[in-house]
Amino acid sequence: MVEENMTCFMQRKGEYPMVFVLDTNKCPLAPCHEAVARKLLKQGKAAIYRRFPFISTRQDGKRMKC
């Protein structure tokens, strides 16, 4: 039920599904589009940190100060 509501929420007109991104120190980076997150996962530059809400972590050494 929750997943159905989230899908409907994400498909509203004018809104694009975004993925939260963390660096290697688990500090937040700018959210990215789901297609970009998918590419990073396939290339091995990111890993899944949490599935709901979907959060990925950068694995390629990109860092920022918290």
Side-chain angles (χ1 to χ4, degrees), residues 2-65:
V2 174
E3 292 176 6
E4 292 174 6
N5 292 340
M6 189 58 132
T7 303
C8 292
F9 171 75
M10 295 173 87
Q11 292 179 351
R12 289 193 308 197
K13 188 173 184 178
E15 292 187 20
Y16 299 101
M18 301 299 280
V19 174
F20 297 111
V21 181
L22 302 175
D23 67 1
T24 53
N25 293 328
K26 297 186 177 62
C27 295
L29 297 174
C32 67
H33 192 269
E34 66 176 8
V36 175
R38 225 179 294 126
K39 287 180 184 178
L40 290 172
L41 288 168
K42 285 183 181 179
Q43 294 172 357
K45 294 182 179 181
I48 297 172
Y49 180 72
R50 185 183 296 168
R51 294 209 180 255
F52 188 81
F54 191 82
I55 301 174
S56 66
T57 58
R58 295 290 302 252
Q59 300 295 317
D60 58 358
K62 185 169 184 170
R63 297 180 181 191
M64 68 181 281
K65 295 181 181 179

